[in-house]
Amino acid sequence: MPLFPSRVPVTRPVLPDISAIAAGLEDVWARGWLTNNGPQLQAFRDDLCTLFETPHVDLLANGAVALEAVLDCMELEGEVIVPAFTFPATAHAVLRAGLKPVFADIEPTRLTVDPEAVEALCTDRTSAILAVHMFGMPCFVDALQKIADRRGIALIYDAAHMLGIRYQGRPISAYGDAAMFSLHATKVVHAVEGGALVYRDGALRPKLASFVNHGIGGASRRGTNAKMSELHALVGRIVLAELPRISARLEKLRAIYDDALSGISGVQRVYNMCDGLEGASGFYPVLFDKDVGSRDEIMAALAADNIDTRAYFDPPLNEDPRFGTEPVGTPVAKDISGRIMALPFFADLDHEDAGKIVMALKRAIET
Ligand SMILES: Cc1ncc(COP(=O)(O)O)c(C=O)c1O
């Protein structure tokens, strides 16, 4: 008999009160304005400008295309250094912008790109570093900025996991030349699908406006349809208003997991609340010690108890032939990818269920 009678998902989107969505929809219907920079989108962008403390925010159809847009509109050429340990979208965006990804290893405590590895890979072909803040943990922003300044190259952050996070007293978007936030349904704040782009140079705005709207106006090198609709913006605004509640729930849940897991040997917490970090992460990954056994077998045992987990992120992207890069040694990314597993983690996860999940994990490891 599985421990849970029905499947516990690894994540579940925040579903705001349907009556708030219905009221917003009536407003959208009354105006008859469904997309192309409508009033819902403008209001959502204003809310995000307040959160990110800057007027330079744009909303796009998803996070992946937002990364592609910024790489394209910054008119980069040649190579972009990206971490080997990340979601495939990071490297696909580089390819889709006509650039070549060069994979760097990560640092083992934050799982973000190792500045020393970045430095070693920089050449005169490098035009940007695309670093990824991981699972709510910030990159080594000061070291990366120094490299970017010394080399005169761009520093862009994939901050897909970071909405609501502040670091060293500033919104995480304040670091680098630009930061992309995913608003996918699995994120702490979502718009069903969506992406937000925060950038330092206001001159990017007309280029981005052209890029997302088929290149019309001619300000961008390329164009596609990457506009956010009024319906998505509506959901995004309503979910964003719940951020304090969502964050409080996630922090409580993290404390429950932390406490329960402290009694299990061989399982390490991944999330490090490094100095100066504020805000809730939407992920709860763990790392298995090598002597604990196979991560994949533990995942299978949990699946038999109806507990959904994920091997986020495995394999390292430099092992994916689609990116066509020469094999570069990334031993830390390789090691972490083989031992990491994300537990179910979402604002509305029942606290008692979290305790049962840890019990099942303990049993899976013991057997
Ligand atoms: C690190 C990272 N980058 C990019 C993305 C892509 O974002 P989206 O799903 O909004 O396109 C994700 C999605 O989860 C991600 O985890």
Side-chain angles (χ1 to χ4, degrees):
M1 267 277 282
L3 186 61
F4 288 93
S6 59
R7 195 178 68 95
V8 181
V10 75
T11 185
R12 187 166 191 271
V14 171
L15 297 171
D17 193 343
I18 190 81
S19 60
I21 305 282
L25 272 179
E26 280 183 20
D27 177 60
V28 173
W29 252 233
R31 292 175 201 265
W33 190 348
L34 297 185
T35 188
N36 288 58
N37 210 18
Q40 289 290 342
L41 180 130
Q42 291 172 32
F44 188 25
R45 182 164 59 205
D46 288 348
D47 294 346
L48 289 171
C49 288
T50 305
L51 182 78
F52 294 130
E53 299 175 4
T54 169
H56 301 145
V57 180
D58 274 325
L59 284 160
L60 294 91
N62 56 65
V65 82
L67 270 186
E68 182 188 333
V70 76
L71 291 164
D72 200 78
C73 292
M74 287 179 79
E75 296 174 7
L76 302 172
E77 303 283 351
E79 297 181 353
V80 176
I81 299 178
V82 297
F85 181 82
T86 178
F87 191 64
T90 316
H92 281 301
V94 174
L95 279 190
R96 290 179 58 81
L99 301 158
K100 181 178 173 194
V102 172
F103 293 102
D105 208 354
I106 54 167
E107 187 280 338
T109 60
R110 294 194 193 175
L111 311 189
T112 59
V113 76
D114 181 346
E116 279 183 26
V118 171
E119 181 80 73
L121 290 168
C122 277
T123 68
D124 54 9
R125 295 182 299 281
T126 312
S127 60
I129 304 164
L130 173 50
V132 184
H133 300 300
M134 189 53 65
F135 304 138
M137 292 179 290
C139 288
F140 295 94
V141 291
D142 298 334
L144 291 174
Q145 192 61 60
K146 274 192 194 132
I147 298 171
D149 289 345
R150 197 165 350 101
R151 299 258 174 191
I153 58 177
L155 176 56
I156 299 166
Y157 285 106
D158 177 336
H161 304 168
M162 303 298 280
L163 202 133
I165 304 264
R166 296 177 67 87
Y167 185 45
Q168 296 173 344
R170 307 161 77 195
I172 194 75
S173 53
Y175 297 94
D177 296 299
M180 177 284 282
F181 296 82
S182 168
L183 297 165
H184 181 255
T186 52
K187 301 300 185 293
V188 171
V189 169
H190 73 87
V192 184
E193 290 276 5
L197 205 52
V198 184
Y199 44 94
R200 193 188 296 278
D201 179 6
L204 276 179
R205 168 148 290 162
K207 295 182 186 179
L208 290 165
S210 169
F211 183 92
V212 302
N213 195 20
H214 310 282
I216 292 171
S220 58
R221 292 193 298 192
R222 292 170 230 232
T224 186
N225 180 358
K227 301 187 294 299
M228 176 180 275
S229 81
E230 287 292 277
L231 274 63
H232 291 86
L234 165 69
V235 175
R237 283 181 71 197
I238 293 172
V239 177
L240 180 61
E242 290 196 30
L243 180 58
R245 178 192 79 82
I246 298 166
S247 299
R249 291 278 308 183
L250 290 173
E251 276 169 5
K252 176 76 188 146
L253 186 60
R254 179 171 304 281
I256 290 170
Y257 267 142
D258 283 354
D259 189 43
L261 281 162
S262 62
I264 307 184
S265 63
V267 183
Q268 312 299 335
R269 287 177 294 169
V270 168
Y271 186 70
N272 283 303
M273 196 70 192
C274 43
D275 279 353
L277 189 61
E278 299 163 62
S281 158
F283 296 84
Y284 201 101
V286 293
L287 264 185
F288 296 113
D289 288 351
K290 288 201 175 76
D291 55 2
V292 160
S294 140
R295 183 265 322 269
D296 295 351
E297 282 175 21
I298 294 169
M299 287 178 70
L302 290 171
D305 268 329
N306 265 332
I307 301 165
D308 215 4
T309 57
R310 288 281 189 285
Y312 277 151
F313 295 106
D314 189 25
L317 295 189
N318 49 344
E319 292 184 6
D320 185 332
R322 286 172 298 182
F323 300 118
T325 56
E326 303 84 45
V328 181
T330 56
V332 182
K334 178 78 186 156
D335 171 53
I336 300 281
S337 291
R339 297 191 290 120
I340 200 161
M341 184 189 85
L343 284 169
F345 196 66
F346 48 92
D348 295 321
L349 180 62
D350 185 82
H351 292 167
E352 215 175 291
D353 286 352
K356 281 166 68 183
I357 290 166
V358 176
M359 239 175 56
L361 177 62
K362 190 162 190 265
R363 200 167 62 184
I365 291 170
E366 284 165 2
T367 56

